[in-house]
Amino acid sequence: MAEPIHYTSFPGFDGTSLEDSFVLEIQATPSRLNITLDLMIGWAHPSYRDPLEGEVACFRKAVIEFPAVRELTWTRQSIIRPAVDASGEQDWGGIDALQQLGAVYQLEGDWGAIEVVSQEPIVRIIGG
């Protein structure tokens, strides 16, 4: 059986830390899965900027898009409530794992576990 491929090997994900990021919204619709998050990125990432006042690292609003979804299973959706930060923004925790095993991308976090068969995920920074 093949070894899973870690997300940092996916194009555009190098220099990101999903485990230290904050999921703001998950949208699963026919043929698409979008995860909006405050993405933690390191200095080597092309979208890096100095941390804003009050930030311990560089966080950028981003969307992880899984295009052309053919299958999606979302399990362990729990009744947890989102955390609320000082600005009133809600988050659902981080992405504890994102890996590819064969044709399936597997994601896990406090919000549950998702298995999705799609084209390769794309990470897109939103705004400046």
Side-chain angles (χ1 to χ4, degrees):
M1 186 162 163
E3 287 291 315
I5 301 169
H6 191 259
Y7 74 87
T8 54
S9 299
F10 304 163
F13 284 79
D14 189 39
T16 66
S17 178
L18 298 182
E19 299 84 357
D20 296 310
S21 300
F22 299 96
V23 174
L24 304 176
E25 183 178 30
I26 300 174
Q27 293 180 319
T29 60
S31 79
R32 185 167 295 278
L33 171 65
N34 287 347
I35 302 172
T36 304
L37 66 164
D38 281 334
L39 178 64
M40 184 177 166
I41 56 178
W43 62 269
H45 192 278
S47 294
Y48 178 83
R49 54 145 174 76
D50 288 335
L52 299 176
E53 187 174 326
E55 287 184 340
V56 296
C58 174
F59 288 92
R60 302 292 302 270
K61 183 94 41 143
V63 175
I64 298 173
E65 301 173 354
F66 289 84
V69 170
R70 294 185 304 281
E71 292 179 38
L72 185 141
T73 306
W74 188 349
T75 58
R76 295 193 347 250
Q77 294 183 53
S78 65
I79 57 170
I80 66 161
R81 296 201 173 274
V84 179
D85 69 14
S87 70
E89 190 170 57
Q90 296 182 344
D91 80 71
W92 298 93
I95 297 176
D96 299 331
L98 169 54
Q99 63 185 14
Q100 180 183 11
L101 188 58
V104 179
Y105 293 94
Q106 301 169 327
L107 301 98
E108 276 190 54
D110 290 339
W111 36 265
I114 296 175
E115 290 194 348
V116 60
V117 177
S118 76
Q119 291 178 357
E120 190 169 62
I122 301 160
V123 63
R124 182 172 47 86
I125 304 298
I126 301 171

